[in-house]
Amino acid sequence: MLGRTAGGLFWMFRYLERAENNARLLEAGWHIALTRSDGSTNEWESIVRTAGQAVAFDAKHDEYTAQNVINFLLRDMGNPSSVMASVDSARSNARQVRTALSREVWEATNECWMVLKGALSRPVSERNLHETLALIRNRASVVRGALHGTMLRNDIFSFARLGTFIERSDSTARILDVKYYVLLPSAAFVGSSMDNVQWEVILRSVSAERSFSWLHAGSASPQRIAEFLILDERMPRSLAFCSTKVAQYLKHLERDYGIRHESHVVAECIADRVQDKSIETIFQNGLHEFLGEFVQETVRLANHIEKDFRFYG
C-alpha cells in the first residue's frame, strides 16, 4: 500500500466520523439548552468552543445565536469541520482511494454526500434540527455498515478504523467536557436534578442510554455515567474502548509490515493510562483536567500516525 492511500483511508473515515460527531455534539448542546431556564445563549458558544472552532466562528459571526451556530456547524463550507464540509472531504478522499474500497463502501459514501447535500442546501431551524441530526447519524452508519460487511480485515481496514477511533475518542472527550465543565451553569448545580438530567442527555448523545440502563438500572448517577463513558471497554464510544482499538489496529499494522513506530508507543501509553484509572481518582483530580489531557494526547497520537504513513508501502 502507498502512504498516500493509507492517508486517504485514514482521513476519509476521520471526516465521516467527524460529521457524525459534530451532529452528536450539537444535539447534546441543544438538549442541554432545553434544560436551562435563564434563556442564556452561552451553551451555543460552549458548543463551538468545545468543537475547537471558536476562532473560525468569531471571524464570521458577532453573536452565538442558535441559528448562527447550527448553520456554522452543519452547513458552512467555509468551516472545514462543518458536517457538509467533512462529508465533502470524506467523499474526495474516497475518490482518491476508490480502488482500495469495495463498491458498496464507495456507493454508500457517495450516497451519503448526495443525501446530506440536499438536506443541508437550506438553513436548518431548531424546529427541524432533530430530524436533520438523525439523518446525518443514519447516513454515516450506512457507510460504516458497508465497511464492516464487505471489506477484508487487512491493512486497508486497519487504516480506516484508526481514523474512526482517533476521531471518536476525541469527540467523546469533548462531549463530556461540554457537559461537565462548560455547560453546567455553576458548581452549585453539581448533584442537582438539572445536573442529573444533563448527564442523561450526554448518554443519549452517544447512543448509550439503553446500554447504560441494562448495566445500571435505576442508578444513573453522574459518577456512574462518567465511568461508563470513560472506562467501560464494552461501550463502543467510551474512551477506554476507542483507545484500546487504536492500539489494537496499530498492532495489526506492526504485524503486517514488521515495523514499530513512535505511534505504537504513544497509543499503548494512552490505552494503559485509561485502563489504570478509577473514576474516583479522575473526579478527585479533576474531570476537566483529565479530559483536556486526553484530547491533547490523542492529537499528538494522530500526528504521529500521519508521519508514519510514509513507511507503509
Side-chain angles (χ1 to χ4, degrees):
M1 177 185 293
L2 296 176
R4 64 174 176 271
T5 303
L9 290 162
F10 178 79
W11 275 105
M12 172 190 171
F13 283 91
R14 275 203 76 169
Y15 280 125
L16 280 170
E17 188 71 21
R18 183 173 300 178
E20 180 179 355
N21 290 337
N22 261 351
R24 290 179 180 279
L25 180 62
L26 187 56
E27 183 170 39
W30 177 59
H31 278 295
I32 288 173
L34 297 179
T35 70
R36 300 180 64 170
S37 58
D38 58 3
S40 171
T41 60
N42 180 62
E43 63 275 358
W44 299 109
E45 179 179 357
S46 300
I47 294 167
V48 175
R49 294 195 180 282
T50 300
Q53 299 174 38
V55 174
F57 183 92
D58 291 340
K60 289 194 167 189
H61 302 284
D62 296 327
E63 289 185 277
Y64 283 89
T65 63
Q67 196 63 52
N68 285 346
V69 171
I70 289 169
N71 284 290
F72 179 76
L73 292 180
L74 294 186
R75 305 176 58 246
D76 192 340
M77 291 298 291
N79 170 19
S81 291
S82 72
V83 168
M84 195 62 241
S86 294
V87 170
D88 191 65
S89 295
R91 180 176 179 265
S92 295
N93 278 279
R95 290 180 66 180
Q96 293 171 18
V97 299
R98 189 167 175 176
T99 56
L101 301 172
S102 67
R103 182 184 65 187
E104 288 84 355
V105 172
W106 161 251
E107 289 178 350
T109 305
N110 195 46
E111 186 174 353
C112 174
W113 176 79
M114 290 189 294
V115 169
L116 294 184
K117 185 178 181 181
L120 299 176
S121 61
R122 52 194 176 278
V124 179
S125 66
E126 287 189 76
R127 185 172 58 183
N128 62 354
L129 179 61
H130 176 75
E131 179 183 344
T132 303
L133 297 177
L135 178 64
I136 294 166
R137 294 196 307 272
N138 175 265
R139 298 318 307 183
S141 296
V142 171
V143 180
R144 191 161 54 246
L147 176 79
H148 280 279
T150 66
M151 295 290 292
L152 289 172
R153 268 42 175 183
N154 57 7
D155 53 350
I156 292 172
F157 190 82
S158 293
F159 286 119
R161 298 306 280 161
L162 279 173
T164 295
F165 286 116
I166 284 284
E167 192 69 31
R168 183 178 295 178
S169 60
D170 178 87
S171 174
T172 297
R174 291 178 184 275
I175 287 176
L176 280 167
D177 201 33
V178 81
K179 156 64 188 83
Y180 195 80
Y181 180 76
V182 187
L183 288 185
L184 197 66
S186 164
F189 287 94
V190 175
S192 68
S193 59
M194 182 172 68
D195 185 29
N196 292 333
V197 166
Q198 291 181 352
W199 275 108
E200 291 170 11
V201 166
I202 296 303
L203 281 176
R204 288 199 298 272
S205 74
V206 294
S207 300
E209 187 178 25
R210 181 66 59 86
S211 299
F212 181 85
S213 68
W214 285 335
L215 297 173
H216 304 287
S219 58
S221 68
Q223 186 162 311
R224 286 209 172 187
I225 293 172
E227 182 178 31
F228 183 61
L229 296 182
I230 294 172
L231 302 177
D232 198 320
E233 293 188 52
R234 297 166 295 181
M235 166 55 192
R237 291 187 176 273
S238 75
L239 302 189
F241 184 95
C242 292
S243 59
T244 299
K245 286 297 182 181
V246 169
Q248 173 188 318
Y249 285 112
L250 283 171
K251 192 71 175 177
H252 289 174
L253 291 172
E254 180 184 355
R255 178 198 62 202
D256 292 343
Y257 287 88
I259 305 173
R260 185 173 173 83
H261 301 293
E262 182 67 20
S263 58
H264 294 83
V265 177
V266 175
E268 289 163 6
C269 286
I270 293 174
D272 290 343
R273 189 176 302 144
V274 174
Q275 290 170 350
D276 290 343
K277 295 283 187 181
S278 69
I279 197 62
E280 291 80 12
T281 301
I282 291 173
F283 268 65
Q284 188 175 43
N285 294 335
L287 180 59
H288 172 64
E289 289 72 19
F290 171 82
L291 295 171
E293 182 180 345
F294 183 90
V295 168
Q296 289 176 0
E297 287 297 296
T298 301
V299 170
R300 187 165 77 92
L301 173 58
N303 291 336
H304 277 299
I305 291 173
E306 286 194 79
K307 289 178 183 177
D308 294 342
F309 285 151
R310 66 186 184 275
F311 295 107
Y312 297 108

